Amino acid sequence: MLKKKINLIRLLSHYRRPTSIVSSKSDELREKYFPKDGTISSPAFSVLRTVLMQSIRHLNNANIDAAVIGLMSSGDNLVNARKYLNYLDHQQEIPSKMFLSKLLKLYNSTAKTRKLESQELEEIQTIYSALRKDFEYLDSSLCENLIYGISLTENWREGLELLEETRLSAVPSTGSYCALASKAFEDESTFSIAWKILEEIVEERKEPKCEVFTSFLNTIKRTENFKKHLEQMFDFIGKNELQVSRQVILKLRDILTEREIKNFVTKISEKGHCDICQTKLSHLQLMDREFNELQKHFLQSVLIRDDVFQKSSPDEVNLFLKIINKSQPYDCVIDGLNVVYSSGTNKNPKVYSAILSSVVKYFKDKDKRVLIIGRKHMLKWKTPAMLFVKKNADIFYTGDLSQDDPFLLFAALKSGINTDFLSRDLMRSHSYLLNNELKTIFKRWQQIHQYSLVTTSGGMRGDQVIVRKPFGHCNFAHKIGKGSWHIPFREKYMSNPPESFGSPDNWLCVQLE
């Protein structure tokens, strides 16, 4: 029975949904038919439906409602969505299930900008109950929208069951997790549920949204255990090496200032000192035992895997292992294409060769023995700069379609605990393949030994290079001494992370004691 249910859910998940509006037309249609003051009229809805069905081939009376609400992507349009619902009622038409499903998501979007009225919450519950009754089996998309809706009500715990339902066919979305965690954080008695959800988020390689921490901070500011709860948040983001956004930091600073707790925006020097309090961040260390354990498991867990062989081949891997076992140890391993493509992907071989030779020279001047992981098409780079590279470094050329990161990481690990590597890639997909203990060791090893290319100068010659060195101190939230916390943060939520493990540009220094 369970197998039959899973297969049916998967079938529903792949069922073709209405064609989305062409992006170039959607803004124009929103502006014309959905004014933000909510003045849209019933005749306008009739015209819009006709225009959409005439311009998009796959739209018909069965799926037109979903296309219309697809134009109402922001919370500002909830009033128009409700008017459209009244329009359908006056036309004696039953709104499609897809329309109602997306309407729940729109309610959730609106709730981020204002408090919902009691009538709106009742509407959410009515729509939710109707959809649950009409569908015996729920696909992941419908589950997500139901969670968005029910998480706004006092019956939000039903969303936990929907998470389990989603897992039958897909991995729950970050939005689904965060909607429930945010609601659970609204009451101190349900904090344990929220933290469990957050643990699941990071286990699924996802990152909590700002709204989760904002909800948490809004609640703990009213509690007697404020400092205890706050340190739990700091512990969580530190343990999982997360960086919260400036939005969260501003909320936190307002609360800290209100409670007369000292806090400062600061920077951390290359030597790990805080510019404000002058305390030094913890120095990162890697024990021989930890490194040996990482080295032992990396080959089987990351390099020799089915999905790697799909992009490489057993023969290529075996040849690489044979060469590395014979030629290692190296002092530094360089991802050749990753480095040269930092200048763009449409340059000629002379530019790429010059960059690569500059990087090789940088390490050779420090008496480092260098290995470059390249691609076979680089053999066509017949330039003087490449002659310098070949003379001063060993090169292993992978196939042009091969995945080169595992080769780079294995060569660096195989060469020993003191070997560095140079790449702009954060290697997250590879660290996630390790168990939790080895993942932590991998990240620490990476932070201690990963260099990245910042820029080169000197024109075509590429005779100067600026390399970002590893930051040998903790670059995630952690406690120094009895009550001094340092929290890294970024300017915008989900902005691209720095292309190295250097110190973040922004830190918040919090002195709880």
Side-chain angles (χ1 to χ4, degrees), residues 97-370:
K97 303 298 187 296
M98 185 62 69
F99 173 88
L100 294 176
S101 169
K102 290 186 175 183
L103 182 56
L104 291 178
K105 188 173 184 178
L106 192 55
Y107 274 110
N108 192 280
S109 176
T110 303
K112 293 180 174 63
T113 61
R114 65 171 175 82
K115 184 177 180 179
L116 296 183
E117 299 174 0
S118 58
Q119 180 183 349
E120 292 172 323
L121 293 174
E122 290 175 5
E123 291 169 356
I124 291 171
Q125 186 65 61
T126 300
I127 295 171
Y128 171 85
S129 299
L131 290 174
R132 288 302 308 264
K133 182 179 179 180
D134 287 345
F135 289 97
E136 182 179 1
Y137 303 121
L138 306 172
D139 71 352
S140 59
S141 178
L142 181 55
C143 277
E144 178 179 5
N145 288 338
L146 288 171
I147 289 172
Y148 280 134
I150 201 63
S151 65
L152 301 173
T153 74
E154 60 183 14
N155 297 320
W156 62 269
R157 285 179 178 82
E158 293 183 28
L160 301 175
E161 299 175 8
L162 290 168
L163 279 181
E164 294 301 322
E165 190 89 5
T166 303
R167 292 190 184 96
L168 292 175
S169 60
V171 175
S173 69
T174 303
S176 299
Y177 277 124
C178 290
L180 291 170
S182 297
K183 187 66 176 181
F185 270 140
E186 290 182 3
D187 191 312
E188 191 176 11
S189 66
T190 55
F191 276 7
S192 60
I193 297 176
W195 286 119
K196 182 179 178 181
I197 294 173
L198 290 190
E199 292 290 349
E200 291 179 15
I201 291 177
V202 296
E203 285 178 6
E204 294 291 350
R205 312 177 193 178
K206 301 177 184 293
E207 192 165 351
K209 293 185 177 182
C210 300
E211 64 198 59
V212 175
F213 297 114
T214 300
S215 176
F216 175 73
L217 293 173
N218 282 333
T219 302
I220 67 171
K221 69 180 181 181
R222 304 187 297 266
T223 66
E224 294 182 359
N225 297 318
F226 171 75
K227 290 185 178 179
K228 178 182 177 182
H229 288 315
L230 190 59
E231 291 203 89
Q232 186 174 9
M233 171 181 160
F234 291 165
D235 275 331
F236 175 80
I237 63 178
K239 178 183 69 174
N240 294 292
E241 300 187 17
L242 303 175
Q243 284 191 37
V244 295
S245 69
R246 176 174 287 276
Q247 176 184 336
V248 174
I249 293 297
L250 290 175
K251 167 66 70 174
L252 174 58
R253 293 201 72 192
D254 286 343
I255 297 172
L256 293 172
T257 301
E258 184 179 334
R259 284 179 167 263
E260 298 183 345
I261 295 174
K262 291 182 179 180
N263 62 95
F264 314 93
V265 173
T266 184
K267 293 185 180 296
I268 304 297
S269 70
E270 288 187 5
K271 294 184 178 181
H273 288 98
C274 171
D275 284 353
I276 300 294
C277 67
Q278 297 303 312
T279 55
K280 187 174 183 180
L281 273 62
S282 302
H283 185 72
L284 291 175
Q285 292 183 320
L286 191 67
M287 307 299 291
D288 288 341
R289 173 188 58 80
E290 294 175 317
F291 178 80
N292 292 337
E293 192 72 10
L294 177 63
Q295 186 188 56
K296 175 183 175 182
H297 288 89
F298 187 87
L299 175 63
Q300 191 63 40
S301 298
V302 178
L303 185 58
I304 301 180
R305 298 174 61 247
D306 291 341
D307 61 340
V308 173
F309 280 143
Q310 288 174 7
K311 297 181 180 180
S312 179
S313 69
D315 290 341
E316 183 178 54
V317 172
N318 291 330
L319 174 62
F320 171 74
L321 295 178
K322 182 178 180 180
I323 292 174
I324 292 301
N325 288 331
K326 183 178 180 180
S327 61
Q328 58 91 20
Y330 292 96
D331 298 306
C332 183
V333 184
I334 298 171
D335 186 337
L337 281 187
N338 182 284
V339 168
V340 301
Y341 282 168
S342 62
S343 66
T345 57
N346 295 315
K347 303 294 179 67
N348 63 56
K350 287 185 178 180
V351 175
Y352 292 148
S353 302
I355 293 173
L356 193 56
S357 65
S358 297
V359 173
V360 170
K361 184 176 185 300
Y362 174 88
F363 288 102
K364 288 299 293 184
D365 287 347
K366 299 179 184 300
D367 296 323
K368 302 290 187 181
R369 185 164 181 251
V370 177

Side-chain angles (χ1 to χ4, degrees), residues 438-456:
L438 288 175
K439 189 186 303 180
T440 300
I441 296 173
F442 178 88
K443 289 180 179 179
R444 205 183 325 146
W445 168 76
Q446 185 178 7
Q447 189 177 333
I448 295 171
H449 291 284
Q450 182 170 357
Y451 284 75
S452 65
L453 180 64
V454 178
T455 186
T456 59

Side-chain angles (χ1 to χ4, degrees), residues 340-454:
V340 301
Y341 282 168
S342 62
S343 66
T345 57
N346 295 315
K347 303 294 179 67
N348 63 56
K350 287 185 178 180
V351 175
Y352 292 148
S353 302
I355 293 173
L356 193 56
S357 65
S358 297
V359 173
V360 170
K361 184 176 185 300
Y362 174 88
F363 288 102
K364 288 299 293 184
D365 287 347
K366 299 179 184 300
D367 296 323
K368 302 290 187 181
R369 185 164 181 251
V370 177
L371 170 67
I372 297 172
I373 304 297
R375 296 284 181 90
K376 287 185 177 179
H377 73 263
M378 293 169 61
L379 290 167
K380 299 178 182 178
W381 297 358
K382 308 293 186 181
T383 66
M386 281 304 293
L387 293 178
F388 174 86
V389 171
K390 294 175 181 178
K391 182 178 180 181
N392 291 278
D394 290 345
I395 307 177
F396 180 81
Y397 297 100
T398 68
D400 288 336
L401 299 179
S402 296
Q403 191 179 45
D404 48 11
D405 288 344
F407 294 95
L408 169 88
L409 293 174
F410 180 75
L413 285 167
K414 184 68 175 178
S415 291
I417 195 170
N418 296 317
T419 299
D420 300 314
F421 67 99
L422 190 148
S423 174
R424 296 180 301 136
D425 196 321
L426 293 181
M427 310 295 178
R428 285 176 173 169
S429 61
H430 304 299
S431 67
Y432 281 128
L433 298 173
L434 302 168
N435 63 40
N436 288 336
E437 181 180 358
L438 288 175
K439 189 186 303 180
T440 300
I441 296 173
F442 178 88
K443 289 180 179 179
R444 205 183 325 146
W445 168 76
Q446 185 178 7
Q447 189 177 333
I448 295 171
H449 291 284
Q450 182 170 357
Y451 284 75
S452 65
L453 180 64
V454 178

